Amino acid sequence: MSKHTINGFVTYEKSYGKPAIRFSMYRPNPQYSPHEVVVGEHSVEVEVPDEFDPIPLMVSALEEKKRLARVALAKELAQIDRQISELTCIEHTAEAA
């Protein structure tokens, strides 16, 4: 096991009427999170197993991202195909003058 220290901030936010205490590695920006305030700085020590391999999890996340991209592309292509179909199915009848 290897030990790692994570430095961050304990924050407080009242969300939907309920208090929420969180730990964040970044100080919240009042401009973007005006309802989240810093309670104090804090360090957390975690143990990571020596045999921990993040690669399968990273590959899995990328595979999911790829799947979602394919779904989004398929929807966009279907919409384009519908538009093409609508345009090419319009009958043009010009009256002879």
Side-chain angles (χ1 to χ4, degrees), residues 14-77:
K14 199 163 193 175
S15 180
Y16 301 104
K18 297 178 183 177
I21 306 295
R22 296 188 180 97
F23 180 82
S24 174
M25 291 174 50
Y26 305 98
R27 180 182 288 276
N29 185 332
Q31 181 179 355
Y32 302 110
S33 304
H35 302 292
E36 186 176 16
V37 296
V38 173
V39 175
E41 293 187 35
H42 191 72
S43 296
V44 177
E45 193 171 276
V46 295
E47 291 184 357
V48 178
D50 293 332
E51 65 277 358
F52 177 71
D53 183 6
I55 302 300
L57 296 170
M58 294 169 143
V59 169
S60 178
L62 288 170
E63 290 289 349
E64 178 62 10
K65 186 176 180 179
K66 184 168 67 172
R67 185 189 73 76
L68 293 173
R70 282 190 175 132
V71 168
L73 179 60
K75 286 180 183 179
E76 187 172 347
L77 290 173

